[in-house]
Amino acid sequence: MNRPFPHAEIGAAVAALQARLGERAVTSDAVRDHHARDESSHAARKPDIVVFPEATHEVAEIARIASAFQVPIVPFGAGSGLEGAAIPVFGGISLDTSRLDAILEIRADDMIARVQAGVRRQALNHHLRDTGLFFPVDPGADASIGGMVATGASGTNAVRFGVMRENVLGLTVVLVDGRVIRTGGLARKSSAGYDLTRLFVGSEGTLGIVTEVTLRLHPIPDAVSATAGFMTLYGAVAAVVDIKRAGIAIGRVELLDEATVAVIGRRSSLELDPLPTLFFEFHGDAAEVAVLSNTVSEIIAENGGTNLRWLREDAAARALWDARRLAPSWLKAERLGAVSRPSDVCVPVSSLADLVAETRADVAASPVPAYMFGHVGDGNFHCLFVYHPNDPAEEAEAARLGDRIVARALAAGGTATGEHGVGLGKRRWLEREHGSEAVAVMQALKFTLDPLGLLNPGKVLPEPTTLAWPDQLASSF
């Protein structure tokens, strides 16, 4: 991949950053290696320097240096991304947000938190433990809040509480030239002007660098968990569709195929039948849950499911949801030296059962091990392929089947990525999903905010940002 920054002055930029940040501007191989990759299977690429700002004004100074010397700048949160969004594919500056870790304000009466971008999700909820509130978006990994904003993260709680776009009220964003803007506010709604907050949520650091986030909090619900096995994956998904159609409000519902259940059985204390299984969490007091459970039990039985198995002890429920959170890493560990390639498509819930059944047929006919699970309450589905990186045939097979999943999802009116983001892995699907005219508008927005293409280049949009953009854009309109 050719460097698209012919006037970049890396050496001068490194010297300027070290003069400004001292020991927080690092060029050691060990630190650069750590920032060369994320949790995806995409190829690593070292940045030229890693910087550790501690305040918004320092991020602004770093951006001004990057602009002055035409050096790319890539935000790095917890490194838990799954589509390569934090990999500095053209080198340059890796901006690590881990020291932007202050919880700035908790407004319990307004159910709002204001935090810096490097705050981790679990740390925030630990801080909130005595307020009766929590931040519900749970992507599984202990991601940074800024990283979750960047990818538009989701997770097991999305069916009840929504995704990042619904739970971010405002942002502080540093633009590429060092200007600082603040979007949104403390009000729960506004009709004033363009919605810049949602423009930056999901932009993966390609439009600006998020340094502070204002979040919507929620009361911690009374909850009870349960599981049910099914004779077929199709039946499990069909049960969820019927539950949703019946208007039953459930807190969480997760699908796991029998292969995933078998691994969980070996690596945890849970006793699960070796069947496609749904994990449920019901919200409400005991009487409300009892009413819900009767109807849910009937729907489960109609779709070939077993009786609900209740986990009424807090410890048992925690073990259940910990197992779901840890499952991807356990699955990857089933093959020594393997890497994993997860899909994360999302489709209308009415199309999910067919997508799962067709993917199941592909997996059954493939020599590459694969596991299926997902947040089926909102149509988000994962198939995780586990292959050896030194086996080109296995890698090609995982890519082929992953492409088939995406193509089916788009044909059903869904999306190539429900929560992991576009990053490097899904860029080529963007035009097929949104159309060439919509992508041209995205390119125009990118050029307006980042004319030299310095912010996380090579991500999200189908082609890497280059200095030839104005001519390309002119021919698009």
Side-chain angles (χ1 to χ4, degrees), residues 172-256:
T172 298
V173 182
V174 174
L175 302 182
V176 73
D177 57 7
R179 285 179 295 161
V180 178
I181 65 170
R182 291 174 174 82
T183 75
L186 299 177
R188 290 297 176 120
K189 61 180 181 179
S190 172
S191 296
Y194 300 137
D195 190 345
L196 295 180
T197 301
R198 291 197 177 194
L199 174 65
F200 287 102
V201 175
S203 65
E204 303 184 38
T206 62
L207 301 179
I209 302 164
V210 172
T211 61
E212 295 179 12
V213 188
T214 302
L215 298 166
R216 185 191 304 262
L217 304 178
H218 298 262
I220 298 173
D222 293 329
V224 61
S225 297
T227 66
F230 288 81
M231 298 308 297
T232 65
L233 272 174
Y234 190 96
V237 178
V240 175
V241 173
D242 289 346
I243 290 168
K244 296 276 289 183
R245 188 180 292 123
I248 297 171
I250 48 179
R252 292 193 267 189
V253 56
E254 293 288 302
L255 171 71
L256 303 94

Side-chain angles (χ1 to χ4, degrees), residues 272-322:
L272 300 170
D273 295 328
L275 298 170
T277 299
L278 293 177
F279 289 1
F280 290 99
E281 184 176 270
F282 300 97
H283 293 172
D285 60 31
E288 292 171 325
V289 171
V291 171
L292 285 177
S293 67
N294 289 334
T295 305
V296 170
S297 294
E298 292 175 2
I299 292 173
I300 288 172
E302 291 169 358
N303 286 282
T306 64
N307 292 332
L308 281 169
R309 179 182 296 173
W310 294 96
L311 294 86
R312 298 190 182 277
E313 300 295 328
D314 288 346
R318 282 196 299 272
L320 183 76
W321 296 106
D322 282 347

Side-chain angles (χ1 to χ4, degrees), residues 21-261:
L21 297 172
E23 293 182 353
R24 291 184 288 120
V26 184
T27 57
S28 70
D29 283 340
V31 173
R32 290 166 57 220
D33 281 341
H34 177 69
H35 292 78
R37 60 180 60 81
D38 57 12
E39 290 296 319
S40 74
S41 58
H42 296 290
R45 170 63 160 90
K46 287 184 186 181
D48 293 281
I49 188 169
V50 181
V51 294
F52 295 85
E54 295 178 346
T56 294
H57 71 85
E58 289 189 341
V59 176
E61 292 177 52
I62 293 165
R64 284 192 285 270
I65 291 171
S67 292
F69 297 106
Q70 297 190 16
V71 174
I73 181 169
V74 181
F76 185 98
S80 58
L82 295 171
E83 286 295 350
I87 298 174
V89 292
F90 298 111
I93 303 164
S94 178
L95 189 148
D96 188 304
T97 63
S98 60
R99 297 196 186 189
L100 295 166
D101 60 352
I103 296 174
L104 301 170
E105 184 180 18
I106 302 296
R107 300 172 64 102
D109 289 345
D110 293 318
M111 295 193 293
I112 287 172
R114 190 165 62 87
V115 303
Q116 287 185 306
V119 169
R120 298 291 190 95
R121 175 185 64 83
Q122 291 182 359
L124 174 60
N125 279 326
H126 181 74
H127 185 85
L128 293 168
R129 65 192 183 282
D130 295 328
T131 67
L133 302 172
F134 82 127
F135 179 64
V137 182
D138 177 4
D142 188 20
S144 69
I145 297 297
M148 292 168 66
V149 170
T151 58
S154 178
T156 60
N157 285 314
V159 66
R160 169 72 185 274
F161 296 104
V163 301
M164 285 302 286
R165 291 187 195 279
E166 284 77 53
N167 287 283
V168 174
L169 295 172
L171 300 168
T172 298
V173 182
V174 174
L175 302 182
V176 73
D177 57 7
R179 285 179 295 161
V180 178
I181 65 170
R182 291 174 174 82
T183 75
L186 299 177
R188 290 297 176 120
K189 61 180 181 179
S190 172
S191 296
Y194 300 137
D195 190 345
L196 295 180
T197 301
R198 291 197 177 194
L199 174 65
F200 287 102
V201 175
S203 65
E204 303 184 38
T206 62
L207 301 179
I209 302 164
V210 172
T211 61
E212 295 179 12
V213 188
T214 302
L215 298 166
R216 185 191 304 262
L217 304 178
H218 298 262
I220 298 173
D222 293 329
V224 61
S225 297
T227 66
F230 288 81
M231 298 308 297
T232 65
L233 272 174
Y234 190 96
V237 178
V240 175
V241 173
D242 289 346
I243 290 168
K244 296 276 289 183
R245 188 180 292 123
I248 297 171
I250 48 179
R252 292 193 267 189
V253 56
E254 293 288 302
L255 171 71
L256 303 94
D257 72 357
E258 61 268 39
T260 304
V261 170

